[in-house]
Structures are given as C-alpha cells and as structure tokens.
Amino acid sequence: MFTHSIRRRLVIGCAATLSLSLALAACGRSTDSPDAGAQSTTTVSDGPATGNLTVWAMGTEGENLPKLLEQFQQANPGVKVTVTPIPWDAAHNKFTTAITAQSVPDAAMVGSTWMGEFADLGALDPTPQGFDNSSFFEGALDTTKVKDVQYGVPWYVETRLVYYRKDLAKKAGITTLPTDWAGLKAMAKAMQDKAGAKYGINLQPGGTGSWETVMPFAWSAGAEITGDDQKSFTLDTPAMQEGLQYFQSYFTDKIAGTDLPPNQTEAQFVNGTAPMFISGPWMAGSVAKVGGPAMKPNIGVFQLPKNKTATSFVGGANFAVFKNSKNKDSAWKLVKWLSEAKTQAAWFKLSTDLPAVKSAWDDPTIADDPLLPVFGKQLEDAKAPPAIVNWEQVAAAFDAEVEKMVKAGQSPADTAKAIQTKASQIGTGGS
C-alpha cells in the first residue's frame, strides 16, 4: 500500500523535484548495527548480469525506467531487461494476484507500506550481503525491514516540510524561522494578525492521509506506533496525546480551519488565504504552476519544528527482488546498480525522484537547488510506520478519529484511546 492519493501518497509516497524550474512531477544504519535488519547470508556473484530480467514499476517510474536501464544493459551486454509499467490503481491487485499464482517478476518497485504484507506472504527475497546500508537515509532504510530481516533497498524518497510565503512572512514581521512548536504556532498566528491571512496554516483536517501530518508531531513528542516487537500497538500514550493536542490546538485557536475547500492547497497558498502548509517536495512545482513566475521566489520551506525531536514523515519506494525469481543473482545486480550514487543522480535528472542514497545529494542538480537541500536535511530525522501487514486499515481508523477530534471536538485523550482500540481490534496482521 502507498500513502499518497494513489500516486503522491506513497509511503511512501513518491518524491518529485522541488526545483522551481521543473514542472510538477508525476510523486542508514550500518549493517553491523544490531537493529539494522539482517541481510541474507547469500552474496551477489562477481561479473556482469546475464539472462532475461522482468521488472515492474508503477506510474511515471514505470514509463521512465526503461530509459535509465539502457545504461545498465550497455554495461551488461549479456542481459535483457523488460519493464512493465503498471497503473497505480491496479498495482496492488496485480502484485497480490501474481504472488498467489507464483508468476511474479524478477524485481519490482515496491511501496514501503506494502513491504510487510509482501514479506508476510513469503514473496520477497532477503537482501544479500554487499549492500552498504550506511549509504541510505536511516528512515528510508527502516522501511525495508520486516521482523528484523531486510528485503530490498530504498530506491527514492520524500519527506515533509513546512511551506511558507516569504513575502507574507516578511509582512508578518518574521525575521527568524521557527525551530520549535511554540515558534511555529506564533508564526502561523502572525500570518493571520499581521499578513491578513484567513488562516495562518492549512493542516488539511480529516480525510485520507491525516495521519501523515499528525504522526510527525506525535513522533516528535516521543510516541511510537508499535512496540519494538511490532506485534502490539502503542497508540494511547502521553506522548501520542501530546502530539494530538498540539495538532488540535491549531483548530481550537482558529489558526487553522476546517472550512477550507479540499484539494485547493496551492490556490489557498497563492491567494494568501492559508500561506503555510506541511507537505512534500512535489508541492513546490505545483504551487509554482498555479502562482506563475511571480510566485516562485516567494516559496520558502523549513524543517519541522522540534519538541523532543524534529521528526518528519519519510515516504518513497523500495526496489525488491522476488523469491521466485528465476534470475535472482542478476536481479540483485540490477538493484545494486540502482543503489549507486551515480545512478541515483541520473534517475533524479530523468524522473525528479529524490535519491535514497545520501551521497547522491551532492550532485549539483540537487545541491544547487534553492529548496531541495532542506528536504535532504529533514531526511536525517524522518520516520515511516513500521512494516506491518494491516497498516492501511489502521491508518484509515487513525484518520477517522483525527477527523472527530478536529471537527467534532473529541478530546486528544479520547482520540488516542479510540485509535488504540480500533488498531488492537484490527491487529498487526501476518503470521
């Protein structure tokens, strides 16, 4: 499962460029760390990849990947790679049907929130030795781990920042960007009182995906979704209630509103109705498209503010090899090639998906962008839900209770209790 509305809410969400010169895109720990996720005892052989490989990828990635893999096939003339693009709305059913029928591809792009389900079905091949896990952003690497076993590697990433109107912040007297919870609320309030905004910040109350905005506040307060064993939920804790209370306070203080029309975040930002919001990298291009050339220099971003931590949400997609692949050695060679910093930088230029390999961010195309490096900094402190089978159902229950809290005034304590009760009834799933 993915946590964007089909394309953009991948947990993994899919990442797109922030570069304002580009159009809106379509969306670690070292291996010796005790909780890094065990790699397989197998290794990838030396020498070039050979034989036939089948690869599945979704959406724009599926359309662009054949262009990138031309380079892989030139370097490995004995291999032929066939990529099958899959529409987002058909992807999950296609995967699960193929797993049941044991007619899977050799390798595929897999959303991070599908990892637990596919691993539980016994479909994924554990990552072999030889991958440098320290090269990946830690939060992204965590999405490849299911019950302490690593499956695949992070392929591309996204995370969430606070967007703000630079010109209106100046009008509001903001000279220093906030770094803590109190500062964020004060800035949003100033956008109302001094810059004329109806609401200081748009927090997209209720509906699908609310948890992606709420959980960073809960994580920053010290909350966790499950215990270390990932077998039981820990959603009703003082830390969770603290995160929920902070989120709710924007609505009770009328700094954020429940009456903003949905799916109009860009327009509300451009017309000054709500000149702040929290979202991912694709929104820079989207806002620039709506606002035109005059808006581009007024788009600013900063990292989520700190409570105990300043943790954001990490999304993206992983690349995995299926256990029933008939050419696993060459499939893993392909995955390893996709994990090279040079390949990741080339993929960004082709697709605008942000690299999961940290050193790829040194490429001038990314490093010299006015906004992208801030996302890179935030990725150093970003988390995703644990890879559990039933997360999609739990997320839906979470969203429903947050909507009651924001729109009907349900208390944070009752909200946390209700989320915990529903999640416990659903269970983590799996064998």
Side-chain angles (χ1 to χ4, degrees), residues 30-185:
S30 169
T31 55
D32 59 5
S33 173
D35 58 351
Q39 292 182 347
S40 168
T41 56
T42 62
T43 58
V44 180
S45 69
D46 295 330
T50 59
N52 295 321
L53 288 175
T54 55
V55 174
W56 290 359
M58 280 70 79
T60 303
E61 282 70 27
E63 296 168 5
N64 286 328
L65 190 56
K67 303 172 189 175
L68 181 73
L69 295 185
E70 288 175 3
Q71 301 173 35
F72 178 73
Q73 292 178 117
Q74 289 170 4
N76 298 268
V79 72
K80 179 183 179 182
V81 185
T82 302
V83 178
T84 299
I86 304 173
W88 282 108
D89 56 0
H92 185 267
N93 285 344
K94 186 172 178 66
F95 272 113
T96 53
T97 299
I99 290 168
T100 301
Q102 297 187 354
S103 59
V104 292
D106 294 295
M109 164 188 172
V110 179
S112 58
T113 53
W114 287 354
M115 297 295 288
E117 179 183 3
F118 292 179
D120 183 69
L121 291 170
L124 302 180
D125 196 48
T127 307
Q129 297 293 314
F131 284 83
D132 179 14
N133 281 347
S134 66
S135 69
F136 301 108
F137 288 105
E138 182 178 325
L141 178 65
D142 284 345
T143 69
T144 69
K145 299 181 295 186
V146 183
K147 298 179 181 177
D148 296 325
V149 177
Q150 182 182 347
Y151 299 93
V153 297
W155 185 27
Y156 62 86
V157 293
E158 59 99 339
T159 190
R160 311 299 164 83
L161 297 178
V162 182
Y163 281 78
Y164 73 101
R165 282 272 300 269
K166 289 183 176 181
D167 54 340
L168 295 185
K170 183 177 180 180
K171 185 177 180 180
I174 304 298
T175 57
T176 303
L177 293 174
T179 58
D180 59 19
W181 281 11
L184 178 63
K185 184 177 284 189

